[in-house]
Every structure is written in C-alpha cells, then in structure tokens.
C-alpha cells in the first residue's frame, strides 16, 4: 500500500480533478461456500453470532487465493471459483470433480501472503502465543508471536523457509505486510513497539534491511513541534524505493499526513510526495509506481482519491456496497488497479469486481 503527500492542499481541493467522480459498478465474480470440502472456506461464528475473522481472500493475476485458519489451509481458485490447488492438512479429502492438486503442510497460524510472477507463494506462518503470553498482553490488536516466511512453488511444494537473516534461525516478529516486486524480490515489513523494519530478499539471500523507525519525523511550525508517527510502509513495484506514510500530531491533535519516498539506493528520504490535511484520507495502495490511491470509508460508501506522484488529483472513484446485512466486507486492489471486494453472508463469501 503506497502513498505520497505534498503541502499543496489548496491546489488539490480546487483542481478540476477534485470534482470529477467515477461511480464503479459491481460485477459478480464467484461465490465461495462455507464448508470443509475443497473449494470451500470454513466460516466460524461465536455464541452471539459474531463472525470470527479467521480467513482472508487475496487476488493476483486472475487467480483467487483463500487463507483458511480454521481448516489450516491455503487454496488457489480460478476466477470462476474452481479450486486448482490446496495446501494444508492431510485430512483434506480429494475433490470428486478432479483437477485439484493437493500438497500437505502443517500450518500454525497463516498470516500475510504474496505471489510472484512464477506463481511461487510466500506465506507468513505465525506461531501461536503461549497461554501465559496471551494473559499478559495488554493490547490484543498486535500479536508479536514469532513468524517465518514459507515459500511454496506453484505445485504447492515447500521450497524453503526465511527468517530475518535469510536463514530460518531468527524469526520475524509482528509482520505488517509482505510484498513481491517486479524482480520477484520479497519484501517483509515488520514492526514492534518502536521499530519499523523492512527486509528485502533475493531468493534466500537478504540484500537490504532498514529500520525506518529510527528516522526522526519531526517538524517545527512556529513555536510548536509536530511529531510524526509512521502509519504504513509500502513498496514500490520496482523494489528500489519505499512509500512511508507519516501522521503528524501536536500533542494528541492530528495536524496532517505526509507520504514520503525513501530511496533504498540513496539510503534516505528522497522527497515528500504529498501532504494531506484530512485525517480520513488514508493511503490505500499504489498502482504501477505511477498512481496513489487514498481512501475514505463512510458506512457502505468507499471513496478513492487517485493522485499521481506530483500530487495532482487524476480522479475520484466512488463505490457503494449494497445495503444488505452482511457479517463482513473487505476491499482491495491488485497491482494493475483492478478493484475487488468480498462480502460474507451467513454461509457464503460473495466476490465482486468493480469497474
């Protein structure tokens, strides 16, 4: 997810792009049913009927990847919902319809996922926290249990395991995101309470590491100092720069947000791309290292402001989800700018493309 900001707010607000709005329409892609058979995802509800978010849907190169932490498996689907690959427990029964490849692995907790151009699958495998650790945690929104990255080929066979140094000796801790660039180099964005570390791997070798949290994001405004807090780090698809989204505060009051470009080759902040005064406009993603998507969610409405790297607004995009009583909804964009969403009803997950 990539963003850049520059202090040209007045120009942005009154440019002609500010008033152009494109309303996207939904197109049904497929439906994934609740269940244990291949091609299904297990949905779990608690005693109060609240959905447990134990699954995740990922889109890449006209394929759908489904993470299922109830059944401890990953599945690859064609866009019509036909399953092609299952990586998981040996309890999985082969599909009666055939055409599905099975590969067996005993996952712990499946986290982030990324796919490269060779269809290799990079998977965060997080180890469950001990009962003592879970009791001692004050905040439950971040789980610092150790993780490794597992790398599977397109047939589902495990190729190797990655840790912080490339070898699987030192695990990652909280992984915020993993991405693959154009050269199939893996990036891992990992953080703790006071660090934001970015690792880059070419095959099994780590060739770059930086703790962006060591950069002092502080700005003087008159007699006041605004303290910057990193919110998000995204990776340029060329793999040579990072997008760093920083929110600035005066004491506890939000002032503005900036998105910076960090040059890996130059080993430092290259420029501030754009300044954003509106706290609702948050970095969503970047497309082909050319466009930034900032988003604002208001109930069933999702609005994207699409900017170039000069801070000019190219378009405003509006998506309205149907007013149905759904248990969970999520939206994402692939690297080509295709926008998808998935919506959980009682016993199924409906998937849409927006265009």
């Amino acid at each position: 997810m990539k963003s850049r900001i520059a202090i040209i707010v007045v120009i942005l607000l009154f440019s002609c792009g500010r008033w152009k709005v494109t309303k996207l329409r939904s197109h049904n892609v497929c439906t994934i049913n609740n269940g244990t058979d291949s091609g299904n995802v297990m949905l779990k509800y608690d005693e109060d009927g609240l959905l447990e978010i134990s699954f995740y849907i990922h889109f890449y190169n006209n394929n759908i990847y489904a993470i299922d932490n109830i059944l401890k498996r990953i599945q690859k689907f064609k866009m019509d919902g036909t399953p092609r690959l299952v990586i998981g427990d040996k309890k999985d029964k082969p599909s009666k319809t055939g055409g599905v490849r099975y590969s067996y692995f005993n996952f712990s907790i499946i986290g982030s996922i990324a796919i490269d151009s060779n269809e290799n699958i990079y998977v965060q495998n997080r180890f469950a926290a001990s009962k003592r650790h879970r009791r001692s945690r004050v905040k439950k929104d971040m789980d610092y249990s150790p993780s490794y990255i597992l790398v599977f080929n397109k047939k589902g066979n495990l190729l190797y395991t990655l840790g912080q140094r490339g070898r699987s000796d030192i695990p990652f801790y909280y992984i915020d995101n993993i991405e693959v660039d154009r050269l199939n180099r893996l990036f891992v964005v990992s953080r703790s309470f006071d660090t934001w570390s970015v690792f880059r791997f070419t095959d099994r070798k780590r060739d770059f590491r930086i703790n962006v949290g060591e950069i002092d994001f502080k700005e003087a405004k008159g007699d006041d100092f605004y303290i910057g807090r990193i919110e998000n780090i995204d990776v340029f698809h060329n793999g040579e720069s990072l997008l760093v989204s920083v929110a600035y505060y005066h004491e506890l009051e939000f002032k503005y947000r900036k998105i910076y470009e960090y040059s890996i080759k130059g080993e430092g902040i290259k420029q501030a791309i754009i300044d954003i005064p509106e706290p609702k406009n948050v970095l969503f993603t970047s497309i082909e290292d050319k466009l930034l998507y900032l988003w604002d969610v208001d109930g069933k409405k999702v609005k994207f402001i699409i900017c170039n790297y000069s801070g000019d607004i190219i378009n405003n995009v509006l998506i309205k989800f149907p007013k149905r009583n759904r248990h969970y909804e999520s939206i994402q964009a692939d690297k080509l700018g295709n926008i998808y969403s998935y919506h959980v009803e009682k016993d199924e997950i409906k998937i849409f493309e927006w265009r």
Side-chain angles (χ1 to χ4, degrees):
M1 310 229 172
K2 308 172 181 179
S3 315
R4 305 176 177 185
I5 310 177
I7 309 177
I8 49 176
V9 175
V10 176
I11 296 176
L12 287 178
L13 291 177
F14 292 96
S15 65
C16 59
R18 170 70 175 82
W19 307 109
K20 180 182 177 183
V21 178
T22 299
K23 295 181 180 180
L24 302 186
R25 301 182 62 135
S26 63
H27 298 265
N28 184 58
V29 173
C30 66
T31 298
I32 299 175
N33 292 317
N34 177 25
T36 59
D37 293 339
S38 59
N40 297 160
V41 169
M42 194 69 181
L43 302 176
K44 183 179 180 180
Y45 297 86
D46 65 16
E47 296 178 353
D48 298 320
L50 297 177
L51 177 68
E52 181 178 318
I53 310 303
S54 55
F55 59 92
Y56 176 69
I57 306 295
H58 180 79
F59 303 91
Y60 178 80
N61 196 25
N62 289 318
N63 289 299
I64 300 169
Y65 295 81
I67 291 171
D68 185 337
N69 268 310
I70 301 298
L71 298 178
K72 303 294 183 183
R73 70 185 184 187
I74 297 171
Q75 296 184 88
K76 176 184 177 181
F77 299 82
K78 295 169 63 176
M79 288 303 283
D80 64 2
T82 303
R84 306 303 298 164
L85 173 67
V86 179
I87 308 174
D89 197 286
K90 290 185 177 181
K91 295 178 183 178
D92 281 333
K93 298 179 181 178
S95 170
K96 296 179 180 179
T97 58
V100 184
R101 181 179 179 86
Y102 289 82
S103 180
Y104 301 109
F105 188 85
N106 185 23
F107 290 106
S108 182
I109 300 173
I110 308 169
S112 299
I113 184 173
I115 320 297
D116 71 16
S117 62
N118 297 317
E119 298 183 60
N120 294 319
I121 306 170
Y122 301 80
V123 181
Q124 176 194 3
N125 190 42
R126 191 175 79 236
F127 297 99
S130 66
K131 291 183 179 180
R132 178 179 179 182
H133 175 67
R134 287 197 297 268
R135 285 196 301 267
S136 66
R137 282 173 58 201
V138 176
K139 294 183 179 180
K140 298 184 178 181
D141 58 335
M142 291 181 65
D143 188 344
Y144 290 100
S145 303
S147 297
Y148 290 103
I149 302 296
L150 309 173
V151 185
F152 298 89
N153 65 16
K154 64 181 180 180
K155 294 182 179 180
N157 300 321
L158 180 65
L159 299 177
Y160 54 89
T161 302
L162 287 174
Q164 287 190 31
R165 296 191 296 194
R167 302 185 301 274
S168 57
D169 51 355
I170 301 177
F172 302 97
Y173 293 97
Y174 180 83
I175 292 181
D176 192 73
N177 189 28
I178 64 175
E179 293 192 42
V180 176
D181 70 6
R182 288 194 188 100
L183 299 179
N184 290 335
R185 294 176 295 190
L186 174 69
F187 283 79
V188 179
V189 180
S190 174
R191 61 187 173 119
S192 63
F193 292 105
D194 56 357
T195 65
W196 278 85
S197 297
V198 180
F199 305 83
R200 187 178 70 185
F201 300 90
T202 301
D203 296 324
R204 306 183 189 197
K205 182 180 179 181
R206 188 184 82 188
D207 58 17
F208 172 76
R209 178 185 181 275
I210 179 67
N211 177 11
V212 185
E214 292 179 345
I215 299 174
D216 186 13
F217 292 103
K218 182 168 64 175
E219 296 188 347
K221 301 290 183 180
D223 295 330
D224 297 324
F225 283 95
Y226 294 172
I227 305 300
R229 301 175 188 170
I230 298 174
E231 297 180 310
N232 184 20
I233 295 178
D234 198 9
V235 179
F236 275 60
H237 201 36
N238 63 20
E240 297 302 328
S241 295
L242 308 172
L243 285 171
V244 183
S245 180
V246 179
Y248 283 87
Y249 294 83
H250 179 240
E251 296 179 346
L252 298 178
E253 182 183 2
F254 174 90
K255 289 298 183 179
Y256 52 87
R257 178 176 287 116
K258 282 190 175 184
I259 300 174
Y260 296 93
E261 177 182 352
Y262 178 94
S263 170
I264 291 177
K265 184 177 180 179
E267 298 184 344
I269 296 295
K270 182 177 179 180
Q271 61 179 330
I273 298 173
I274 191 172
D275 293 6
I276 304 171
E278 173 54 61
K280 291 184 178 180
N281 292 334
V282 178
L283 175 63
F284 178 69
T285 191
S286 68
I287 304 298
E288 296 186 328
D289 297 348
K290 296 178 181 178
L291 301 175
L292 303 173
Y293 280 49
L294 310 175
W295 71 330
D296 174 14
V297 180
D298 182 12
K300 293 285 185 178
K301 293 190 298 183
V302 178
K303 184 177 71 175
F304 292 108
I305 300 174
I306 304 176
C307 307
N308 62 22
Y309 281 11
S310 297
D312 303 315
I313 295 180
I314 305 301
N315 198 2
N316 291 275
V317 170
L318 180 64
I319 291 174
K320 287 186 177 181
F321 290 157
K323 294 182 179 180
R324 299 185 61 171
N325 184 21
R326 285 170 167 156
H327 296 270
Y328 180 77
E329 297 178 316
S330 182
I331 189 167
Q332 63 180 264
D334 65 16
K335 289 300 181 182
L336 298 177
N338 301 310
I339 298 177
Y340 300 94
S341 66
Y342 57 95
H343 311 257
V344 180
E345 299 186 3
K346 180 62 179 177
D347 289 310
E348 61 187 15
I349 302 173
K350 290 187 176 295
I351 296 175
F352 296 97
E353 181 180 2
W354 296 83
R355 56 181 188 268

